[in-house]
Amino acid sequence: MWRKIFGGGKHTPVSDEGDLPSRSIIDRSTMPRHVAIVMDGNGRWAKERGDSRSAGHEAGARTLKRIVRAASEMGIEVLTVYAFSTENWKRPHREVDFLLNLFDSFLEKEIAELHAEHVRLHFIGRRDRFTERFLHRMEEAEVRTANNTGVHFNLAANYGSQDEILRAVRSLAARAAAGEIAPEEIDEEVFSNTLDTAGDPPVDLFIRTSGDLRLSNFLLWQSAYAELYFTDTHWPDFTPEELAAAIEDFAGRNRRFGGLSAEE
Ligand code: FPP
């Protein structure tokens, strides 16, 4: 059971399994602070069952709920998931509408529970193509959960990393042109804090489900030294146990950040 390998997060609820072990296999020093997930494979999951793509997305939403809760219990600081890319507008209207309605009802139904579980919700991506109603719900959810101290849950909606980087470049260029910042003051930290993920640590563990081996324009700057974990599991079948397995795998990686390992 995945709970057995973690010391538990700040808000670990009391579970049926009794107290968590005092000595855990994964300790704070080997725990990823920021986990990013490309939730791929809803369509393939549904197809394998002879079901509609919509049913796959609905199952994906249920998985997301379980994974956010597990991430919070495990003590992950930041969880960023890719829900809708700037390129996903190319999908058939029917599927786009279905996904946007699903996000809207997810927010409506789940926000109270997420809030009660201390989750801090934040949206990353462009906000210029959503309906007023959805924008309002997004902002309301962000304001309501802003002071929560549990997992920081970033939902990437209408997000593309290249678009995010360009928006940051334009904003810094405008500030430089206005004399508010000197070009030589723009360093990695300033740039990171101009992105939608401002204030978050860089991605430590980047997970992609459903077998494809690519980054798909997700968190390219933030993942400069991320460890990559690919699994064939379709997103609806992804479990807290598999998240725990990815974290255990991460804990065994030798991260050198361009330097040498301690023994060397
Ligand atoms: C990729 O599967 C998934 C998406 C483009 C949408 C992600 C959405 C969810 C996980 C639904 C829940 C999200 C929220 C925020 C409620 P795909 O459709 O590309 O699958 P395929 O590659 O097998 O066709």
Side-chain angles (χ1 to χ4, degrees):
M1 195 55 199
W2 66 265
R3 283 195 178 84
K4 297 279 177 255
I5 66 164
F6 293 96
K10 267 185 281 188
H11 301 291
T12 307
V14 177
S15 77
D16 306 341
E17 298 161 40
D19 286 339
L20 288 154
S22 53
R23 200 172 59 84
S24 53
I25 295 164
I26 309 283
D27 66 24
R28 291 284 136 212
S29 66
T30 47
M31 187 74 186
R33 293 181 66 194
H34 188 165
V35 175
I37 310 183
V38 178
M39 309 181 287
D40 200 13
N42 294 345
R44 277 163 284 175
W45 180 90
K47 197 170 175 196
E48 282 174 11
R49 281 163 178 71
D51 229 328
S52 65
R53 293 181 59 79
S54 307
H57 294 314
E58 277 169 345
R62 290 193 290 276
T63 298
L64 178 59
K65 198 177 150 189
R66 285 192 290 272
I67 294 298
V68 178
R69 179 172 300 137
S72 191
E73 292 183 24
M74 289 173 189
I76 291 168
E77 249 177 86
V78 185
L79 174 72
T80 305
V81 302
Y82 211 178
F84 194 87
S85 75
T86 44
E87 288 72 37
N88 284 151
W89 297 102
K90 291 183 225 157
R91 293 191 177 201
H93 280 308
R94 228 162 46 118
E95 181 165 346
V96 170
D97 280 353
F98 183 85
L99 277 170
L100 297 180
N101 284 326
L102 183 65
F103 300 159
D104 194 46
S105 66
F106 179 85
L107 268 192
E108 186 190 6
K109 286 191 212 134
E110 308 299 340
I111 192 62
E113 210 172 301
L114 293 172
H115 184 45
E117 289 169 5
H118 314 280
V119 173
R120 179 154 63 106
L121 179 60
H122 176 61
F123 287 87
I124 63 169
R126 302 180 67 94
R127 301 206 177 187
D128 53 357
R129 283 183 77 168
F130 294 127
T131 60
E132 280 299 317
R133 190 180 79 154
F134 185 55
L135 273 177
H136 180 69
R137 227 196 276 287
M138 284 161 82
E139 283 159 16
E140 211 174 45
E142 287 181 329
V143 170
R144 186 163 171 195
T145 63
N147 296 321
N148 286 349
T149 53
V151 67
H152 184 179
F153 174 39
N154 288 322
L155 241 172
N158 195 15
Y159 175 88
S161 190
Q162 292 179 336
D163 172 78
E164 177 194 35
I165 289 169
L166 280 176
R167 282 188 283 113
V169 167
R170 286 191 200 111
S171 145
L172 287 168
R175 285 175 57 201
E180 291 165 15
I181 190 166
E184 55 276 15
E185 285 178 287
I186 301 172
D187 58 12
E188 279 94 341
E189 195 186 340
V190 168
F191 193 75
S192 294
N193 284 325
T194 313
L195 295 170
D196 296 349
T197 50
D200 292 337
V203 174
D204 294 307
L205 175 59
F206 185 113
I207 298 173
R208 182 178 187 130
T209 60
S210 210
D212 286 327
L213 307 180
R214 53 176 171 264
L215 305 181
S216 295
N217 200 15
F218 191 43
L219 302 173
L220 302 179
W221 171 276
Q222 297 88 335
S223 300
Y225 281 99
E227 295 295 327
L228 308 179
Y229 183 92
F230 296 102
T231 170
D232 288 337
T233 306
H234 299 316
W235 174 250
D237 287 333
F238 192 77
T239 56
E241 283 73 18
E242 193 163 2
L243 175 61
I247 291 172
E248 268 194 281
D249 186 82
F250 168 86
R253 306 268 182 109
N254 179 9
R255 302 187 82 194
R256 295 188 295 282
F257 299 95
L260 298 177
S261 57
E263 316 80 80
E264 289 159 319

